[in-house]
Amino acid sequence: MTDAALDLSGYELVVDEQFEGEALDETRWLPHYTPHWSSREATRARYEVSGGTLKLRIDADTAPWSPEYDGEVRVSHLQTGQFSGPVGSPVGQHRFRAGLVVREAQDEERLWLPHFGVIEARARGIRHPSAMVALWPVGFEDQGANCGEICIFEIFGSEIGEHHGLVGVGVKPQRDPRLVLDFEKMRVDGDLTQFHDYAVEWLPGRLRFFVDGRLVKTVEQSIDYPAQLMLDVYELPTDAPRDTSAHPFVFEVEYVREYRPRAA
């Protein structure tokens, strides 16, 4: 890590999602994972808002979200926008593999779509070989090339040790030809199953990634279109039979915030 610190003096806080109360703010969050490739019912998140945190959960009886396209992957997920083409079309957000076809058309919803500024979150990982947690702003994708992904954090439970772990940060082009892959797993000291702060400073032409307020990576490219937030816990299949003795997997998030540059 470098010695550079996250400087918010040039920004103003515009969204401060602290998950207060006992209900999810559905004017901001959609509790479904890319439902156009499956259905709203099959992709409905399991979660609780209590004690000042969001708790996204995968239970022993959570079913795979899309056996057709994603096998045995299970997920509990919130996103802040939604767009798809009609049933039978290949038009939809987060085209994670070839051959995807819309199975349930979705209305367009633009709830919370940042575009430049700082996005930060405080969250804790899950130490289990099948678990992965992440926060990604991804292009809203109403235009097909506008699909790049900014990875604020991506943490595999298999990469969390007792005293340090790996945190994936960077840019993934997905299908945006203007971007090149610049993604790296950074070693972070401390127990990643405890709360840590993760942030990106999203600038025109540059992205700077921070863990616990300290700069860990700079990417000399950016995306210049609105992005929706994708906040997830996954259960990924392994070579071993599924063991439900460790369930539920609970991904706890204390806050998600957006800062925008102050007016000159």
Side-chain angles (χ1 to χ4, degrees), residues 177-197:
R178 297 159 294 190
L179 299 174
V180 296
L181 179 66
D182 192 344
F183 174 84
E184 191 172 356
K185 293 185 178 182
M186 314 301 299
R187 176 179 164 134
V188 174
D189 291 332
D191 182 357
L192 297 185
T193 67
Q194 300 302 309
F195 283 110
H196 290 265
D197 298 317

Side-chain angles (χ1 to χ4, degrees), residues 63-67 70-74 235-237 242:
W65 76 278
S66 176
D70 212 15
E72 290 296 304
V73 173
R74 293 163 169 85
E235 181 181 350
L236 305 172
R242 186 174 186 241

Side-chain angles (χ1 to χ4, degrees), residues 191-212:
D191 182 357
L192 297 185
T193 67
Q194 300 302 309
F195 283 110
H196 290 265
D197 298 317
Y198 305 94
V200 65
E201 186 177 25
W202 177 8
L203 304 164
R206 176 177 294 177
L207 294 155
R208 303 171 78 224
F209 296 89
F210 297 82
V211 177
D212 295 327

Side-chain angles (χ1 to χ4, degrees), residues 125-133 154-169 183-193 236:
I126 301 169
R127 186 184 289 113
H128 188 279
S130 296
M132 191 265 274
V133 300
E154 183 178 286
I155 305 171
F156 287 85
S158 60
E159 297 175 340
I160 299 177
E162 295 288 339
H163 305 294
H164 60 80
L166 298 180
V167 177
V169 299
F183 174 84
E184 191 172 356
K185 293 185 178 182
M186 314 301 299
R187 176 179 164 134
V188 174
D189 291 332
D191 182 357
L192 297 185
T193 67
L236 305 172

